[in-house]
């Protein structure tokens, strides 16, 4: 009998009424003869509400306690969904992450899954029960509760699917699939029928919140077919897999963006690799992630270094740099907030050198200043003013013909 893993996100399980709709989909799958494992998120905005309560108590709550707190959200959903299914005459049983044998590394708030002991759930599947597992959570070797990072239930679902040898993992959400960009920001965004792992991975890392990046990484590594579809309709979703047969002619497959970006610049830094390394070492020591980096050599002796950080960690970043002003030997530090990162992504880009130029032309035609640039084989990212974000997305969507079906070539 084939096993299917179905994952339902926060909006999809936001109320008891929604849980009944989720149950309809789960029952349909079960009746079609599948073994079913359901992975769920916390209901609605529960996780946000828990985060906000913690922040009323402390500006730096303990990461361990945050994990104990946030993991409660998913535990509510599993029990309620199980009750709904049992009321409807089906055998269903709920498992927290630790009951399901989901072991993680010993890192709070952003742990990676290390292993899954499938022997704990298998007997239930064998007996025909629908198994419901709490997403986003696991446990360390030392029995500490951990969470996988915001949006991490996708990753739980894919990891479970891989561990149980399922060939397919279905992610049910509040949109009908993966679009050319976030449909909440660009009305003309178009649903993609298929997208490759590499393109999806890039989009997810660059901010497309529809899938947790690690979920795509795990799916790619285990050659698992990942489907993103709606929990609100029966419309066909998007398939994420190795090779994409359609739209091969397009250089750009989609746009991703991140808001809340801040650029920090150190002026008058000594012009040496050691001096630049010292800056990054100091920041890394505080576990602060930096993103786009640009260095401008001013003369033989001095250089200026700019990099971006998420606005949430700006104060921490400035504190570190101020504390070490003497050792780092810079003359002045400035920063600029309210920026956004806009990226174009597509594997066709690697063989089409004009794409970056097309992007810059399109942005400059709208008077949108590009403040920083970063590229890889399959993406170009630009840092712009956040106030210009929607305009930039619209113009890039247009420039790269993303609203049009696959017959268009660039
Ligand atoms: P869930 O709670 O089901 O995990 P999320 O809010 O995490 O749902 O992800 C779905 C949301 O992702 C959509 O509502 C949409 O606004 C956003 N999104 C961002 N980029 C994309 C994209 N390229 N395609 C579809 N949705 C996207
Ligand atoms: N509930 C968690 C969050 O809101 C995990 C998830 O929904 O995937 O981030
Ligand atoms: Mg999500």
């Amino acid at each position: 009998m084939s096993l299917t893993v179905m994952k339902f996100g926060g909006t999809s399980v936001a109320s008891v009424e929604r849980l009944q709709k989720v149950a309809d989909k789960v029952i349909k799958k079960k009746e079609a003869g599948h073994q079913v494992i359901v992975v769920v998120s916390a209901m609605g905005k529960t996780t946000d509400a828990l985060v906000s309560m913690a922040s009323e108590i402390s500006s730096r709550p303990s990461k361990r306690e945050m994990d104990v707190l946030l993991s409660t959200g998913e535990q509510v959903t599993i029990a309620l969904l199980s009750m709904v299914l049992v009321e409807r005459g089906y055998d269903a049983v709920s498992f927290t992450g630790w009951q399901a044998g989901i072991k993680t590394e010993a890192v709070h708030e952003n742990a990676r899954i290390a292993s899954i002991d499938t022997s704990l759930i298998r007997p239930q599947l064998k007996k025909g029960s629908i198994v419901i597992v709490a997403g986003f959570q696991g446990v360390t070797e030392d029995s500490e509760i951990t969470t996988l990072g915001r949006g991490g239930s996708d990753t739980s679902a894919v990891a479970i699917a891989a561990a149980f040898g399922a060939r397919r993992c279905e992610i049910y959400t509040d949109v009908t699939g993966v679009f050319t960009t976030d449909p909440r920001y660009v009305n003309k965004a178009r649903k993609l029928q298929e997208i490759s792992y590499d393109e999806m991975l890039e989009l997810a890392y660059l901010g497309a919140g529809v899938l947790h990046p690690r979920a795509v990484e795990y799916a790619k590594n285990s050659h698992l077919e990942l489907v993103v579809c709606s929990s609100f309709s029966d419309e066909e979703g998007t398939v994420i897999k190795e090779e994409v047969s359609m739209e091969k002619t397009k250089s750009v497959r989609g746009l991703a963006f991140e808001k809340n970006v801040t650029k920090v610049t150190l002026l008058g830094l000594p012009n040496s690799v050691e001096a630049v390394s010292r800056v990054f070492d100091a920041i890394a020591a505080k576990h602060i992630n930096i993103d786009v980096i640009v260095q401008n050599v001013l003369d033989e002796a001095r250089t200026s270094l700019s990099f971006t950080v998420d606005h949430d960690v700006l104060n921490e970043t400035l504190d570190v740099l101020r504390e070490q002003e003497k050792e780092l030997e810079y003359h002045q530090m400035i920063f600029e907030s309210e920026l956004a990162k806009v990226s174009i992504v597509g594997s066709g880009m690697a063989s089409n050198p004009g794409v970056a130029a097309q992007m810059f032309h399109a942005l400059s035609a709208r008077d949108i200043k590009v403040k920083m640039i970063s590229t890889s084989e399959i993406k170009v990212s630009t840092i712009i003013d956040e106030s210009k974000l929607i305009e930039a997305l619209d113009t890039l969507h247009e420039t790269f013909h993303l609203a049009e079906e696959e017959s268009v070539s660039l």
Side-chain angles (χ1 to χ4, degrees):
M1 198 185 288
S2 76
L3 169 75
T4 302
V5 176
M6 307 169 84
K7 180 257 168 180
F8 294 88
T11 319
S12 307
V13 296
S15 61
V16 169
E17 204 184 357
R18 282 297 316 155
L19 288 176
Q20 295 287 0
K21 301 276 184 211
V22 166
D24 292 343
K25 290 214 181 263
V26 172
I27 289 169
K28 202 165 160 194
K29 192 66 78 179
K30 182 78 189 145
E31 291 295 342
H34 295 267
Q35 288 184 331
V36 184
I37 300 179
V38 186
V39 175
V40 286
S41 291
M43 294 169 80
K45 301 263 177 233
T46 302
T47 312
D48 289 339
L50 293 171
V51 169
S52 127
M53 264 198 278
S55 70
E56 278 177 41
I57 297 168
S58 163
S59 61
R60 280 171 208 225
S62 135
K63 293 187 171 204
R64 178 188 185 276
E65 302 310 338
M66 280 308 285
D67 278 351
V68 173
L69 176 70
L70 297 193
S71 62
T72 60
E74 273 68 13
Q75 191 167 339
V76 172
T77 324
I78 53 170
L80 291 176
L81 180 60
S82 179
M83 288 177 199
V84 169
L85 288 162
V86 168
E87 270 311 296
R88 305 225 341 218
Y90 289 81
D91 273 337
V93 56
S94 69
F95 285 80
T96 60
W98 41 102
Q99 286 176 314
I102 302 177
K103 286 267 156 48
T104 73
E105 57 178 9
V107 171
H108 284 296
E109 294 190 325
N110 199 17
R112 293 182 80 95
I113 295 175
S115 65
I116 298 180
D117 179 359
T118 58
S119 68
L120 299 165
I121 282 178
R122 278 212 198 275
Q124 296 292 338
L125 288 174
K126 224 170 174 179
K127 172 170 124 177
S129 294
I130 297 168
V131 171
I132 303 156
V133 182
F136 178 56
Q137 55 181 250
V139 66
T140 68
E141 279 301 337
D142 298 331
S143 306
E144 290 289 332
I145 293 174
T146 49
T147 60
L148 311 184
R150 295 303 305 269
S153 295
D154 297 333
T155 297
S156 309
V158 174
I160 288 171
F164 281 83
R167 289 220 309 276
R168 196 175 146 98
C169 179
E170 299 171 353
I171 307 285
Y172 291 82
T173 183
D174 54 9
V175 281
T176 52
V178 176
F179 283 64
T180 47
T181 190
D182 190 335
R184 292 187 207 288
Y185 284 75
V186 176
N187 320 338
K188 288 191 180 156
R190 177 175 57 90
K191 189 179 77 185
L192 299 165
Q193 278 179 22
E194 302 177 329
I195 184 165
S196 68
Y197 292 129
D198 288 336
E199 288 169 325
M200 190 64 235
L201 199 55
E202 201 75 55
L203 283 172
Y205 273 118
L206 292 169
V210 64
L211 279 175
H212 196 236
R214 250 179 280 140
V216 187
E217 197 180 300
Y218 290 175
K220 177 178 153 88
N221 291 342
S222 20
H223 307 285
L224 193 90
E225 196 169 280
L226 198 54
V227 180
V228 175
C229 54
S230 170
S231 68
F232 291 79
S233 77
D234 288 329
E235 202 177 312
E236 217 176 292
T238 303
V239 181
I240 298 134
K241 56 186 195 178
E242 200 71 61
E243 264 304 311
V244 174
S245 54
M246 324 252 313
E247 306 201 10
K248 277 208 165 128
T249 46
K250 280 200 173 175
S251 305
V252 176
R253 177 95 53 207
L255 313 176
F257 58 89
E258 273 171 40
K259 302 202 288 190
N260 257 335
V261 174
T262 300
K263 174 182 168 190
V264 178
T265 302
L266 296 178
L267 296 167
L269 204 63
N271 184 16
S272 71
V273 179
E274 292 75 31
V276 172
S277 314
R278 273 198 298 271
V279 172
F280 293 137
D281 285 344
I283 296 170
K286 296 280 175 190
H287 301 283
I288 296 168
N289 277 332
I290 59 168
D291 190 10
V292 181
I293 303 169
V294 172
Q295 188 186 0
N296 283 312
V297 177
L298 304 176
D299 56 43
E300 262 182 34
R302 295 281 153 185
T303 181
S304 85
L305 180 70
S306 299
F307 54 86
T308 60
V309 288
D310 198 281
H311 189 73
D312 298 348
V313 293
L314 175 64
N315 284 338
E316 230 181 306
T317 311
L318 297 181
D319 285 352
V320 184
L321 296 172
R322 274 192 202 115
E323 276 161 23
Q324 303 192 26
E325 190 173 347
K326 281 236 167 63
E327 298 87 311
L328 300 176
E329 298 180 69
Y330 61 86
H331 289 167
Q332 199 191 348
M333 176 165 66
I334 49 178
F335 67 89
E336 192 179 354
S337 293
E338 294 176 21
L339 302 175
K341 181 165 82 166
V342 177
S343 310
I344 55 173
V345 173
S347 8
M349 221 182 268
S351 54
N352 197 340
V355 177
Q358 251 180 304
M359 180 182 196
F360 303 136
H361 283 311
L363 294 175
S364 77
R366 295 285 188 108
D367 225 6
I368 300 171
K369 271 220 180 75
V370 174
K371 296 172 184 259
M372 294 168 97
I373 300 165
S374 123
T375 63
S376 80
E377 282 210 326
I378 67 165
K379 66 112 184 185
V380 182
S381 298
T382 53
I383 303 293
I384 62 166
D385 277 327
E386 195 175 304
S387 59
K388 300 274 187 180
L389 175 63
I390 304 274
E391 208 181 336
L393 292 172
D394 279 337
T395 186
L396 293 173
H397 206 262
E398 190 85 32
T399 300
F400 293 107
H401 307 289
L402 292 176
E404 296 159 29
E405 294 295 332
E406 55 278 355
S407 56
V408 175
S409 71
L410 290 171

